[in-house]
Amino acid sequence: MNYENIGGHPIIIYYGETTLKGNFPLALVIGREPNDEDGMSNQIGQYYFESSPHCAFWNTSHSMFAKSIDQSTKWLKEQFKINKSSPIVYSDALPTTILNKEKDKNAIRLGILDKDIEQHITNLFSHMEIIKRIKIVFLSGLYDSNLKWKVSKGLIIAKCKTLGIESIEVPFFYPTNSREIIKKVDAEDKMELLIDILQPWRIPVKE
């Protein structure tokens, strides 16, 4: 398992001792829904990228950050491992879990009630121990063609504006989208913010 099981998939996942180590800034990456069957929990928990070294979503988002400081994904992950912490935290737009093997994910998504999405986003932004450190939110692959993502995305963007958090819509974090993701980040002048967030990890730390 690549995340901490706390009676369901955590609503926010973080790496290592991120919640215990100081107050360095964070970036929140919001995907669609977890590839899971345990349901969603309103708790935060850890993720372990070592357990899923080939996870395309995690690797592509880590690659975006690594490229902002002209480093490799492998190098950046190693710094996070040495430091036992990372500025990258993850969450999901929808309050459900769907296994990748499901053939018609949209049918499941369309069955989610708007009020449940609203409660999910309220829950997400209630975890102020994490949210107060977020400097930017990446909305990954939440295209308006899916009405449920549109509901969730609107709520997230509104929350970000209220809290003074930057937000940006990017293509889904998948290797074939890497170039377009970088172009979008550059076009919206967010690259410097990524560099600032990574400042504590730009100088290699020895064990």
Side-chain angles (χ1 to χ4, degrees), residues 123-193:
N123 291 344
L124 167 59
F125 280 88
S126 73
H127 292 278
M128 290 306 296
E129 69 272 34
I130 296 287
I131 298 300
K132 68 183 180 182
R133 297 167 60 183
I134 302 294
K135 300 302 178 185
I136 186 169
V137 171
F138 290 87
L139 298 156
S140 171
L142 305 182
Y143 305 118
D144 287 348
S145 58
N146 185 296
L147 296 179
K148 296 302 177 179
W149 291 334
K150 188 173 183 178
V151 172
S152 183
K153 183 170 66 176
L155 293 168
I156 293 166
I157 291 172
K159 288 280 190 182
C160 287
K161 287 181 178 178
T162 298
L163 295 169
I165 300 171
E166 298 276 351
S167 66
I168 179 173
E169 296 180 51
V170 294
F172 191 71
F173 280 115
Y174 195 76
T176 54
N177 294 330
S178 292
R179 185 172 297 179
E180 290 303 313
I181 291 167
I182 294 296
K183 283 175 61 177
K184 187 74 185 298
V185 174
D186 269 331
E188 296 200 18
D189 296 323
K190 306 298 186 188
M191 197 62 74
E192 286 298 321
L193 182 52

Side-chain angles (χ1 to χ4, degrees), residues 14-200:
Y14 60 89
Y15 181 73
E17 300 174 1
T18 294
T19 58
L20 303 176
K21 289 201 164 191
N23 197 35
F24 56 83
L26 305 175
L28 174 60
V29 176
I30 296 182
R32 295 168 177 171
E33 68 277 310
N35 169 32
D36 202 344
E37 58 185 354
D38 289 338
M40 187 73 76
S41 163
N42 186 24
Q43 302 292 325
I44 66 172
Q46 292 177 306
Y47 67 86
Y48 317 110
F49 56 64
E50 299 92 338
S51 299
S52 294
H54 304 298
C55 175
F57 188 82
W58 286 357
N59 284 341
T60 307
S61 51
H62 277 73
S63 173
M64 174 190 67
F65 280 87
K67 287 176 180 176
S68 76
I69 55 172
D70 298 319
Q71 292 289 352
S72 68
T73 304
K74 180 179 179 181
W75 181 93
L76 189 62
K77 283 186 173 182
E78 188 61 28
Q79 297 310 306
F80 294 162
K81 287 171 65 176
I82 293 170
N83 281 277
K84 299 179 181 178
S85 58
S86 166
I88 308 172
V89 296
Y90 293 94
S91 188
D92 298 277
L94 298 180
T96 190
T97 57
I98 305 177
L99 292 173
N100 283 341
K101 67 181 182 180
E102 291 289 344
K103 294 182 178 180
D104 192 354
K105 292 184 178 181
N106 274 337
I108 298 172
R109 291 164 179 153
L110 290 171
I112 302 170
L113 299 177
D114 287 0
K115 69 179 183 65
D116 291 335
I117 296 175
E118 292 170 7
Q119 186 61 58
H120 172 66
I121 302 305
T122 296
N123 291 344
L124 167 59
F125 280 88
S126 73
H127 292 278
M128 290 306 296
E129 69 272 34
I130 296 287
I131 298 300
K132 68 183 180 182
R133 297 167 60 183
I134 302 294
K135 300 302 178 185
I136 186 169
V137 171
F138 290 87
L139 298 156
S140 171
L142 305 182
Y143 305 118
D144 287 348
S145 58
N146 185 296
L147 296 179
K148 296 302 177 179
W149 291 334
K150 188 173 183 178
V151 172
S152 183
K153 183 170 66 176
L155 293 168
I156 293 166
I157 291 172
K159 288 280 190 182
C160 287
K161 287 181 178 178
T162 298
L163 295 169
I165 300 171
E166 298 276 351
S167 66
I168 179 173
E169 296 180 51
V170 294
F172 191 71
F173 280 115
Y174 195 76
T176 54
N177 294 330
S178 292
R179 185 172 297 179
E180 290 303 313
I181 291 167
I182 294 296
K183 283 175 61 177
K184 187 74 185 298
V185 174
D186 269 331
E188 296 200 18
D189 296 323
K190 306 298 186 188
M191 197 62 74
E192 286 298 321
L193 182 52
L194 267 64
I195 294 170
D196 289 344
I197 289 171
L198 287 175
Q199 190 62 39

